[in-house]
Amino acid sequence: MKGLKSCFVKSFSHIYVEEGIEENPLTKEILKKFPKALKVRIKHYKDVFCRPRQNFFVQESSRKLILAAKKGELLYRGPDICHDFGNENFYYTSPALNCIYSCDYCYLKGMHPSANLVIFVNVEDYFKEVEDILKQKPLYLCISYDTDLLAIEGIIALSAMWIEFARGKEDLKLEIRTKSANYSAISYLVPASNVILAWTLSPTEVIKKYEKNTPPLELRLKNIIRAIGDGWKVRLCFDPVLYFENWETAYENLISRTFSMIPADKVNDASIGVFRIPRDYLKRMRKNFPPSEIIHYPYIETGGVYTYDEEVKGKIIEKLWSLLKKHIPEDKIFIL
Amino acid sequence: MFYIVTAYHAEAKPIIEYFGLKKVVKNSRFQVFAGEEVALVESGPGVVASACATSFLLAEFEATDRDAVLNIGIAGAKNINLKKGDAILCHKIIYHDTKRAFYPDMIARHDMKEGVLETFDFPVIKGNFPEDRIEGDAVDMEGAGFFEAASFFLPPHKVHCIKVIHDYLEGVRVEPSFVSDLIRKNLPLIEGFMSSLESIDYLFSVGLSGKEKEIIDKLAGNLKLTFTMTHQLKNLILFYLSKHERLPGELYDFLNVRVNSKSEGKIYFERIKKLLC
């Protein structure tokens, strides 16, 4: 039997480029970074991304890159299962689809038909849509939900572009969520007061077992220290919180380690989110992925969303709340 | 299982010999040859014939997601950088007539060249057809039909076109023994690719084993479980297997239980739930 690596073509061996964006400067910049990749011309990104019967699980071992221009609606209303952190006009947008990490619990595995990474290069169109909305109302916008934007900053500096775009726009508040240890990619920027860098933090046990390819906790914390030190607003996201053997000890260790390194008074706010996932996404994940403690846990369904039963959920929230409030004022902790 | 579709016998012959396939004696419109791991069908020329033969083969042998299918044959090259005898693994297949394009998942490692295949409904001969209207690096008369039909059955990383360059669209006569030679010389490369596909399938097979499925079926029948409960049982077994190497011995005790009513079955189901959680 051949080893894993020897039977797979390398990730990003092929780059699919949508017709009409060949001359876009971002397309050119990305293609320059992959000189050995085969370029394949496509009419529409969905011709590749949305093919029937794709195997997400297999594709994760040899992801391809798809460059496209997003048409139609570019900003979406924030869903109820996500935190709005007390903000009105909560929207999210997807400058990219999919992520270079592979977390067992990630809803993207059930949401998208493909594991390939799509980057939309028409960033100016996104900016225009934001500006149009800002003419009517203020906006709280999350730009790194269906991807990890900072993790792919080496491929394309979208986080930096968004930060520069947001700078000085008082009615716009931006959240960039990440698990990466790639702060250095944007550390040259002057902090923007309306941009929040949000790090997802998980116990080391969870990172090792369920968050494949993500940086270890220590590295994430070191990145947070640097970002805070430089003057950025930083959000800590304990989301999703998972229920597993010895979960209480794992989260106790996580919180104590976090605040032994990070000055709590410098943290902008924090969130607690018990694992939850739309029914259809979980159904698809159960069908397409091998047995997993996370995917196959017997969750309870309420209103089309699977999560732990009330008893487990209550225990998790109570525990995390009591741990967090020792370090962060209660009005800065958001629970979902 | 690997399924192979060729247009002509001259393309099939070296494959039949290489894998030791035997003719399947059955009253059918298509010639079929099969061995333990490989089955081949000769479609005859053209998009529709290729689509029909592909569907026939995959349906007849009850292909599943664990199988793969290849279209192997000769093609003419527009791209002069491709040499005669080169095997091309196609990463894009265009049907010239509709301009519809198909994209196999290029995941499995291989040592062939890659290119774009364009499928025509007629033989393309330089001079008779404007070269600037050919988008593909290579040209054939089956690939798009094969791909569209195969995509109904298998995932895109298990459907591939491999074309061996035969000519430069000069309209030369096709000599069967030359065609067989071209294919034969590339079979080690093709087999290497098949081996990568097989390894990926082995490493990434998902779901329950036959034995586990049997246990679920038996429990569902004996305990009169509803459809939803059976589904929950399957999920609980997968949950248990994510933490343990094998199912608990106590579960097998339930196989001997037969209930008279659904409510009795429900009681046993709750016990199984506790055991597996």
Side-chain angles (χ1 to χ4, degrees):
Chain A
M1 175 53 56
K2 290 177 170 187
L4 247 185
K5 276 186 183 165
S6 66
C7 58
F8 277 105
V9 171
K10 274 187 186 167
S11 279
F12 303 146
S13 58
H14 295 69
I15 302 182
Y16 297 88
V17 184
E18 209 177 63
E19 277 176 19
I21 62 154
E22 296 92 338
E23 295 306 313
N24 184 301
L26 296 190
T27 305
K28 287 182 174 174
E29 199 183 318
I30 295 168
L31 290 178
K32 241 192 239 170
K33 290 184 179 144
F34 299 94
K36 285 184 183 167
L38 272 163
K39 284 98 195 160
V40 184
R41 203 166 168 225
I42 57 174
K43 272 207 177 76
H44 194 280
Y45 81 93
K46 287 184 179 175
D47 293 346
V48 176
F49 193 68
C50 296
R51 288 165 296 166
R53 279 174 283 283
Q54 290 177 84
N55 188 322
F56 200 112
F57 181 38
V58 171
Q59 286 176 334
E60 278 184 322
S61 294
S62 180
R63 287 183 205 274
K64 310 302 173 204
L65 186 55
I66 302 170
L67 305 181
K70 182 86 167 76
K71 314 244 167 39
E73 204 182 0
L74 302 176
L75 266 57
Y76 314 98
R77 281 256 174 214
D80 292 339
I81 59 169
C82 295
H83 283 284
D84 61 11
F85 293 87
N87 294 285
E88 276 180 36
N89 305 317
F90 165 32
Y91 282 72
Y92 76 99
T93 189
S94 304
L97 304 176
N98 276 331
C99 177
I100 55 167
Y101 302 139
S102 177
C103 301
D104 273 18
Y105 54 75
C106 183
Y107 68 93
L108 294 175
K109 293 179 172 186
M111 185 166 98
H112 293 317
S114 170
N116 294 330
L117 177 66
V118 183
I119 296 176
F120 296 115
V121 296
N122 55 327
V123 65
E124 298 298 332
D125 294 337
Y126 285 77
F127 293 164
K128 186 176 178 303
E129 193 161 323
V130 172
E131 275 167 343
D132 287 346
I133 293 181
L134 287 176
K135 281 175 195 161
Q136 302 155 29
K137 57 189 178 188
L139 192 61
Y140 168 62
L141 183 64
C142 296
I143 62 167
S144 188
Y145 269 6
D146 296 340
T147 185
D148 189 321
L149 223 48
L150 198 55
I152 59 167
E153 198 73 1
I155 297 175
I156 185 69
L158 285 171
S159 303
M161 282 180 225
W162 274 95
I163 290 167
E164 287 307 335
F165 167 73
R167 194 183 300 284
K169 292 186 172 60
E170 282 176 15
D171 285 343
L172 175 65
K173 196 192 274 186
L174 217 62
E175 189 216 67
I176 304 175
R177 193 168 295 201
T178 187
K179 286 191 180 105
S180 78
N182 205 16
Y183 170 69
S184 57
I186 54 165
S187 60
Y188 67 94
L189 295 171
V190 176
S193 59
N194 57 339
V195 175
I196 299 164
L197 303 180
W199 263 275
T200 300
L201 297 178
S202 303
T204 297
E205 295 89 326
V206 169
I207 295 172
K208 279 188 180 161
K209 208 167 170 188
Y210 306 122
E211 296 182 354
K212 208 166 83 192
N213 304 333
T214 64
L217 176 65
E218 295 295 305
L219 267 183
R220 293 186 211 179
L221 293 175
K222 281 179 185 164
N223 273 249
I224 293 171
I225 294 167
R226 282 185 62 199
I228 287 176
D230 288 347
W232 287 93
K233 283 184 179 166
V234 168
R235 169 173 292 155
L236 305 181
C237 302
F238 300 94
D239 186 1
V241 183
L242 303 174
Y243 181 69
F244 51 93
E245 220 179 310
N246 300 325
W247 67 275
E248 287 180 291
T249 317
Y251 282 97
E252 280 165 14
N253 293 340
L254 168 67
I255 304 281
S256 69
R257 184 66 191 143
T258 299
F259 292 105
S260 72
M261 287 177 74
I262 292 170
D265 60 320
K266 298 278 169 56
V267 171
N268 190 68
D269 52 23
S271 69
I272 302 167
V274 176
F275 175 73
R276 63 223 175 267
I277 188 164
R279 180 186 53 200
D280 293 345
Y281 298 176
L282 185 68
K283 237 171 119 181
R284 221 169 288 155
M285 287 158 79
R286 283 177 171 172
K287 194 179 154 207
N288 298 328
F289 285 85
S292 151
E293 273 181 79
I294 305 298
I295 297 175
H296 294 97
Y297 182 90
Y299 298 105
I300 301 296
E301 189 209 326
T302 321
V305 175
Y306 273 113
T307 188
Y308 298 110
D309 62 45
E310 284 304 320
E311 194 191 331
V312 172
K313 204 174 153 183
K315 267 198 245 175
I316 289 175
I317 291 172
E318 207 184 303
K319 181 74 186 175
L320 269 287
W321 170 259
S322 67
L323 289 170
L324 261 182
K325 70 177 184 183
K326 288 179 195 161
H327 305 278
I328 293 182
E330 290 184 11
D331 63 331
K332 286 186 169 186
I333 304 172
F334 295 85
I335 299 173
L336 197 69
Chain B
M1 189 85 176
F2 281 96
Y3 298 100
I4 297 172
V5 181
T6 67
Y8 297 102
H9 185 67
E11 294 165 331
K13 198 171 170 246
I15 302 169
I16 293 166
E17 288 165 2
Y18 192 85
F19 292 108
L21 308 183
K22 303 268 178 264
K23 188 169 165 59
V24 176
V25 186
K26 204 171 179 185
N27 190 13
S28 125
R29 164 68 184 79
F30 300 103
Q31 294 259 45
V32 176
F33 300 82
E36 269 188 27
E37 298 294 329
V38 178
L40 177 147
V41 67
E42 292 175 12
S43 66
V47 172
V48 174
S50 189
C52 289
T54 304
S55 303
F56 169 79
L57 185 70
L58 297 179
E60 182 75 12
F61 283 80
E62 296 177 358
T64 70
D65 275 6
R66 303 220 39 191
D67 302 321
V69 62
L70 310 173
N71 171 218
I72 301 175
I74 56 162
K78 177 197 168 191
N79 182 345
I80 51 160
N81 294 323
L82 300 174
K83 289 187 194 131
K84 273 187 193 178
D86 278 351
I88 312 299
L89 182 64
C90 307
H91 54 235
K92 177 177 179 180
I93 297 117
I94 307 163
Y95 184 29
H96 177 82
D97 195 33
T98 60
K99 296 290 172 207
R100 189 167 170 204
F102 304 93
Y103 304 92
D105 251 341
M106 307 306 286
I107 283 175
R109 193 176 162 166
H110 66 89
D111 294 313
M112 293 174 269
K113 288 185 177 171
E114 283 191 29
V116 177
L117 177 68
E118 187 166 1
T119 301
F120 286 76
D121 284 329
F122 49 87
V124 176
I125 298 166
K126 241 189 229 170
N128 293 352
F129 189 82
E131 225 177 303
D132 59 355
R133 283 180 56 202
I134 304 173
E135 279 182 66
D137 302 309
V139 165
D140 83 337
M141 289 178 63
E142 289 82 29
F146 155 82
F147 202 97
E148 187 165 8
S151 299
F152 279 95
F153 294 85
L154 299 178
H157 72 287
K158 297 284 191 81
V159 181
H160 291 279
C161 290
I162 298 168
K163 296 288 157 176
V164 179
I165 301 305
H166 171 269
D167 56 74
Y168 293 106
L169 311 175
E170 310 97 329
V172 290
R173 192 174 172 273
V174 175
E175 181 59 51
S177 62
F178 179 57
V179 170
S180 293
D181 274 351
L182 288 178
I183 301 287
R184 188 177 293 112
K185 280 178 189 155
N186 280 293
L187 285 174
L189 281 182
I190 295 171
E191 194 186 20
F193 176 57
M194 289 162 78
S195 168
S196 295
L197 286 170
E198 199 177 11
S199 302
I200 291 171
D201 178 68
Y202 176 81
L203 291 162
F204 286 80
S205 61
V206 168
L208 294 162
S209 69
K211 199 179 163 197
E212 288 148 5
K213 280 181 193 161
E214 251 177 57
I215 291 172
I216 292 171
D217 286 347
K218 204 163 176 198
L219 285 172
N222 289 359
L223 301 179
K224 296 185 187 299
L225 301 183
T226 61
F227 178 78
T228 310
M229 284 154 93
T230 308
H231 191 73
Q232 282 177 359
L233 175 66
K234 183 186 161 194
N235 192 57
L236 284 167
I237 284 181
L238 284 164
F239 177 62
Y240 189 89
L241 288 173
S242 70
K243 297 190 288 184
H244 306 88
E245 269 190 26
R246 56 180 68 88
L247 291 170
E250 297 96 305
L251 185 70
Y252 293 87
D253 298 340
F254 289 94
L255 292 173
N256 303 318
V257 178
R258 275 180 184 277
V259 300
N260 295 316
S261 65
K262 282 197 173 178
S263 55
E264 199 188 339
K266 214 174 162 188
I267 296 168
Y268 281 103
F269 180 66
E270 287 305 318
R271 283 194 208 162
I272 292 175
K273 241 169 118 175
K274 264 195 181 162
L275 178 68
L276 296 173
C277 265

